[in-house]
Amino acid sequence: MAAAGTAASPARSLGAPAAAAAAAAAARTRRPPPARLPPLLVLLTAAAAAGPGAGGAARLYRAGEDAVWVLDSGSVRGATANSSAAWLVQFYSSWCGHCIGYAPTWRALAADVRDWAAAIRVAALDCAEEKNQEVCRAYDIHFYPTFRYFKAFTKDFTTGENFKGPDRELQTVRRTMINFLQNHTDSTRPPACPSLDPIRPSDVLSLLDKRGDRYVAVLLEDDSSYVGREVILDLIPYESIEVRRALGSDAAFVQKLGVPSLPSCYLIYPNGSHGPVTVGKPLRSFFSSYLRSLPGVRKKPSSLPGRPSREESSEAVVWRDFDRSKLYTADLESGLHHLLRVELAAHRSLAGAELKTLKDFVTVLAKLFPGRPPVKKLLEMLQEWLASLPLDRIPYDAVLDLVNNKMRISGIFLTNHIKWVGCQGSRPELRGYSCSLWKLFHTLTVGAGTHPKALDGTGLEDDPQAVLQTVRRYVHVFFGCKECGEHFEEMAKESIDSVKTPDQAILWLWKKHNLVNSRLAGHPSEDPKFPKVPWPSPDLCPACHEEIKGLGTWNEDQVLLFLKRHYGRDNLVDTYSADLGDPSEGAPAPGEKHEGSQAPPEQPPADHGAESLRPPSLLPPRPRLSERSQPGLDLPLGSRAGGEGRRGAEAAAAFLGMGFSSLDMSLCVVLYVASSLFLMVMYFFFRVRSKRWKVKHHHPSV
């Protein structure tokens, strides 16, 4: 797909890729539209497949079915702390396309090293689940997938050791697991893990002609070979056999054993006889299979701890019928919820370039987001607060306090529910957040193009690339899928400087989105019900597609008109959106479960009374009292008496200063102490001056 050109570039892009893409799109339009499914279609998924909240690690990894140990916030620390085995944990996000594509490799790795579990275990934890948000922050996870090793018998909390390897192929990861095990000291090595170091030739010769109660297999190999160590680990759960490895660098030693080539296996039987083993191929699988099949060799009784499991339940996921020609508020607000409360919350604090990127991105959102007034007012308040901060570093918890409306300010709102409509997928892990993020970026570029004065006074005005560059920096700094961010950065470096007008910015993002769709077509992250085809399709925008001399082309003038119409405020539909009047929406509630995510604990529900939509001050004069801080109010919430009781409690709370965040209270304490010191200084100053005045003007009586 060609990049956006200058203002003088032709309005129609022509070429074979575009023709093939347009033809494929036209062919697909003959299929029934994927969105026209029965509105009451219900997909029942078992807990092992969906887990609580229809979201979680079980989307990609199924506890009890896959060999992967599925961890969560309640089990990861207990599993890895002071464990008798080492751990390799993949921290991933279920919406990350690269994580979805890598899942088959991770499952295959876990199955391949299943017999190593007493020494080292392969696990996964989904950071897209909101209940795992805090633990992912604690482990300093910013990008997905992130691989961490945890040594055995680690008593103090540690974030683990990063995976170090040239690639993430199965064989590479398996070999780094072996290296990690060998990095343990003798005192910290997992008890079930035999020594992986080679024994001396003299030690091998001393074993010959000796009777014993078990087989002893010696793998002879080169120093760079991993076959011997892999076979040693493969035979961990088997009894009546011991596997060691020796290096074949001593030619005389190898010749004495009669070993024809390396790697080879030399077997010492319990009766003292010995000799080289003949297998079909000198491969790990052949050696391990032969040794397991020896008479008397059998698996030990399992002594592994029970795997972390999820509470068995079933989730009903209702399909929402939608119109592909419309833009849904629920998708944009659900994406904002995940962006502000999950993705950005992975950072404990923000400073420097990260803080500047956040400020600029929130500014663009506040000025160009086309959503409902209470959501826009929350973004405006967040933008004003960030702009007024004199600090070089801020804790993100302070941002969360504002997003979660800890101040109980009326007239602001952001859903705490994930509710995909136009971005729903045929399976929970498909589409979702990445889809909503693309829609959000498109609405921002279109907003800048249709409202050229919107960014006046922000420092981003008069720059046609302002929105694109802000999006580019956000994706580079904060977007969890690291590989996706790298691809976007490559596209930006290649052609973003050619954007000279706001309209070209709209078209640039559209072209790059289609380029990404083309690259991911056929990828495991592609939803079969929503194939990645050039967009808009001919049925959505017939005028966007043309043929010149039999070759399919885009009419970019018509595409631009379509994008402005499709991503404009007038095309935004509030169907399925969270109810602004529902007091349970707005901010996560303790233990609340909702589709696609789970709210973090101890987040008070927000007050979204929309009766006052004037811009709220940052420090409202009457903060409202959370329902949880009203132990004496047992009246029904809907009753008149209950309302009066709440208003009285809110007034008392405002008087007592309740409802403030920890940052607000800290500032109050600092100001109080500073004021007290100032008053004391002034008191002593005037006291001393008054004494001097009295002495100066004192006249003793005669």
Side-chain angles (χ1 to χ4, degrees):
M1 188 68 67
T6 62
S9 63
R12 292 167 176 80
S13 56
L14 180 64
R28 292 185 188 273
T29 59
R30 292 191 289 270
R31 303 177 182 176
R36 301 301 182 188
L37 295 176
L40 297 180
L41 174 63
V42 178
L43 304 176
L44 295 177
T45 52
R59 287 176 174 176
L60 300 185
Y61 306 104
R62 295 173 174 83
E65 296 181 25
D66 298 326
V68 178
W69 292 65
V70 180
L71 304 177
D72 59 21
S73 59
S75 60
V76 60
R77 293 189 182 181
T80 58
N82 202 28
S83 170
S84 61
W87 288 80
L88 172 57
V89 181
Q90 178 195 172
F91 295 86
Y92 76 100
S93 179
S94 52
W95 54 258
C96 169
H98 182 57
C99 300
I100 295 172
Y102 190 70
T105 300
W106 198 250
R107 285 194 291 265
L109 171 69
D112 183 62
V113 299
R114 187 193 302 266
D115 287 336
W116 302 10
I120 188 168
R121 297 162 191 168
V122 176
L125 187 146
D126 185 5
C127 291
E129 283 196 69
E130 287 187 34
K131 72 172 185 178
N132 294 335
Q133 170 190 335
E134 289 300 324
V135 75
C136 289
R137 290 177 69 191
Y139 283 97
D140 202 26
I141 306 299
H142 295 163
F143 300 103
Y144 313 111
T146 293
F147 304 90
R148 296 279 176 81
Y149 288 105
F150 297 87
K151 286 187 175 182
F153 301 113
T154 301
K155 295 182 179 179
D156 297 329
F157 173 77
T158 174
T159 58
E161 299 180 18
N162 283 318
F163 166 81
K164 296 177 182 177
D167 55 58
R168 294 170 179 168
E169 297 298 325
L170 189 151
Q171 179 174 271
T172 303
V173 179
R174 188 175 63 215
R175 290 180 174 179
T176 58
M177 291 171 68
I178 293 173
N179 294 339
F180 181 71
L181 283 173
Q182 288 191 279
N183 286 337
H184 284 71
T185 62
D186 289 339
S187 60
T188 62
R189 190 176 69 216
C193 181
S195 173
L196 300 177
D197 296 327
I199 60 176
R200 296 173 298 178
S202 58
D203 294 331
V204 176
L205 295 176
S206 67
L207 296 172
L208 303 182
D209 301 322
K210 285 187 177 180
R211 294 177 176 270
D213 59 352
R214 64 181 63 193
Y215 297 91
V216 178
V218 181
L219 272 295
L220 293 100
E221 58 185 348
D222 295 326
D223 185 45
S224 59
S225 173
Y226 280 82
V227 172
R229 286 168 283 186
E230 291 171 342
V231 174
I232 291 174
L233 294 170
D234 285 344
L235 272 292
I236 284 179
Y238 291 83
E239 59 186 6
S240 301
I241 186 168
E242 177 185 354
V243 184
R244 307 299 296 271
R245 61 184 286 254
L247 301 181
S249 54
D250 188 338
F253 165 67
V254 172
Q255 184 177 4
K256 182 174 183 178
L257 295 180
V259 173
S261 61
L262 302 177
S264 289
C265 179
Y266 197 86
L267 185 62
I268 303 170
Y269 294 84
N271 61 7
S273 60
H274 51 84
V277 169
T278 302
V279 294
K281 295 180 181 179
L283 302 175
R284 164 205 173 193
S285 58
F286 283 78
F287 291 126
S288 296
S289 177
Y290 178 87
L291 296 177
R292 290 185 187 120
S293 64
L294 290 172
V297 174
R298 58 186 180 275
K299 265 201 168 183
K300 305 171 186 175
S302 177
S303 59
L304 294 179
R307 292 173 179 246
S309 60
R310 296 173 177 269
E311 180 183 355
E312 293 198 3
S313 62
S314 61
E315 293 286 339
V317 181
V318 180
W319 182 267
R320 301 179 182 91
D321 195 18
F322 68 96
D323 185 346
R324 290 186 302 134
S325 66
K326 297 296 182 181
L327 186 65
Y328 286 85
T329 302
D331 290 326
L332 297 180
E333 292 184 358
S334 295
L336 268 184
H337 154 71
H338 186 91
L339 183 150
L340 291 171
R341 291 197 178 106
V342 180
E343 186 164 72
L344 286 170
H347 300 257
R348 296 184 183 181
S349 62
L350 300 174
E354 289 183 347
L355 183 56
K356 178 67 165 60
T357 299
L358 175 66
K359 288 182 176 181
D360 288 347
F361 189 71
V362 170
T363 298
V364 170
L365 284 175
K367 300 300 182 182
L368 301 175
F369 185 74
R372 298 182 287 179
V375 180
K376 288 180 63 67
K377 289 189 179 296
L378 172 64
L379 295 172
E380 290 167 359
M381 187 179 72
L382 179 59
Q383 184 262 331
E384 293 170 4
W385 179 71
L386 288 171
S388 66
L389 281 179
L391 306 176
D392 296 328
R393 177 182 294 273
I394 62 169
Y396 195 76
D397 282 341
V399 178
L400 280 178
D401 284 348
L402 198 153
V403 172
N404 291 332
N405 199 11
K406 289 288 188 69
M407 298 294 296
R408 319 301 300 154
I409 303 171
S410 65
I412 67 172
F413 168 82
L414 179 60
T415 181
N416 68 330
H417 281 40
I418 293 291
K419 185 182 289 185
W420 306 125
V421 183
C423 284
Q424 62 189 319
S426 59
R427 297 201 308 271
E429 72 272 16
L430 300 179
R431 305 184 79 221
Y433 178 59
S434 56
C435 164
S436 72
L437 207 55
W438 274 113
K439 290 182 184 291
L440 177 62
F441 293 163
H442 282 299
T443 61
L444 297 179
T445 57
V446 167
T450 55
H451 300 86
K453 301 296 184 182
L455 294 176
D456 284 358
T458 64
L460 301 174
E461 62 271 19
D462 302 326
D463 182 4
Q465 297 180 19
V467 174
L468 287 181
Q469 293 289 4
T470 302
V471 166
R472 173 188 182 181
R473 285 188 287 131
Y474 178 87
V475 171
H476 179 70
V477 174
F478 294 118
F479 190 52
C481 179
K482 190 173 185 179
E483 184 173 282
C484 308
E486 291 172 351
H487 282 298
F488 194 88
E489 181 64 20
E490 290 172 5
M491 294 190 299
K493 287 180 179 178
E494 178 184 282
S495 59
I496 201 171
D497 289 338
S498 65
V499 173
K500 305 300 181 184
T501 67
D503 285 352
Q504 288 181 10
I506 297 172
L507 289 174
W508 185 91
L509 189 65
W510 162 71
K511 290 180 179 181
K512 297 311 175 187
H513 193 174
N514 269 340
L515 190 63
V516 171
N517 280 345
S518 176
R519 179 173 59 84
L520 294 179
H523 189 269
S525 62
E526 181 183 32
D527 194 323
K529 291 189 179 297
F530 299 90
K532 294 187 180 297
V533 297
W535 189 89
S537 57
D539 62 322
L540 279 179
C541 182
C544 297
H545 296 264
E546 292 182 350
E547 281 192 9
I548 297 179
K549 296 181 180 180
L551 192 61
T553 66
W554 291 106
N555 185 327
E556 292 188 0
D557 290 337
Q558 292 297 321
V559 170
L560 181 61
L561 291 175
F562 171 82
L563 293 172
K564 288 184 176 181
R565 182 172 61 253
H566 184 79
Y567 289 109
R569 179 65 183 90
D570 293 339
N571 197 44
L572 201 56
V573 179
D574 291 343
T575 309
Y576 302 114
S577 298
D579 185 5
L580 293 174
D582 181 0
S584 67
E585 303 277 355
E592 179 181 358
K593 294 181 181 179
H594 52 80
E595 179 196 342
S597 62
Q598 182 170 342
E602 299 185 358
Q603 300 286 355
D607 175 17
H608 359 90
E611 67 279 359
S612 173
L613 294 181
R614 65 183 186 282
S617 62
L618 295 182
L619 295 175
R622 290 186 59 186
R624 301 188 177 224
L625 180 65
S626 169
E627 284 80 355
R628 284 181 297 181
S629 59
Q630 304 177 26
L633 297 181
D634 297 328
L635 295 172
L637 293 178
S639 67
R640 181 175 179 181
E644 293 174 354
R646 285 198 307 277
R647 284 192 292 272
E650 289 168 1
F655 177 79
L656 294 174
M658 297 175 65
F660 288 97
S661 68
S662 56
L663 180 63
D664 300 322
M665 297 303 295
S666 299
L667 290 174
C668 289
V669 170
V670 171
L671 290 173
Y672 177 81
V673 172
S675 301
S676 301
L677 291 175
F678 177 76
L679 290 174
M680 291 177 64
V681 170
M682 295 301 296
Y683 170 77
F684 286 112
F685 174 76
F686 284 109
R687 179 74 177 256
V688 170
R689 286 199 61 178
S690 65
K691 286 185 177 181
R692 290 181 178 177
W693 186 84
K694 288 181 179 180
V695 171
K696 182 176 180 181
H697 296 279
H698 176 66
H699 300 286
S701 58
V702 178

